[in-house]
Amino acid sequence: MTLVIVQLSDLHIKTASDLALQRANKIVSAVNNLAPTANGYLLAITGDVAFAGTKAQYQLAASLFQSIKDDLSRTGKPVLQFLIPGNHDLDF
């Protein structure tokens, strides 16, 4: 069994114009090209998702993560998610 770990870290999403938000298709394409025989995926989000931990920034991030998850799921293989907050993931 091959589990592919797709790790995204330190995105620091601030606004809807952030480049990371436009890369879901490229991330999935790269994963599929590197591991075409994967049995499943672990989408690991490891810290500093948001720039300042605001609700709006998390809504943008959630859209990105859902898009990646949906695209990976189209292969018919399971996609698990694991999130670890970072110091920027707080709204003081």
Side-chain angles (χ1 to χ4, degrees), residues 9-81:
S9 184
D10 295 289
L11 297 173
H12 297 272
I13 293 172
K14 191 173 185 179
T15 67
S17 63
D18 287 7
L19 288 177
L21 300 172
Q22 302 168 23
R23 302 290 165 100
N25 291 339
K26 291 182 184 279
I27 291 167
V28 172
S29 178
V31 169
N32 287 332
N33 285 333
L34 290 171
T37 61
N39 298 104
Y41 306 95
L42 172 63
L43 182 55
I45 312 302
T46 55
D48 292 346
V49 170
F51 180 79
T54 65
K55 183 176 181 178
Q57 291 170 356
Y58 277 111
Q59 288 171 334
L60 292 170
S63 177
L64 170 66
F65 303 149
Q66 189 62 52
S67 180
I68 293 169
K69 185 176 179 182
D70 289 348
D71 286 351
L72 288 173
S73 293
R74 285 190 183 93
T75 64
K77 299 165 186 168
V79 180
L80 307 170
Q81 293 184 99

Side-chain angles (χ1 to χ4, degrees), residues 78-91:
V79 180
L80 307 170
Q81 293 184 99
F82 183 76
L83 290 93
I84 300 171
N87 64 315
H88 285 255
D89 294 322
L90 304 169
D91 183 4

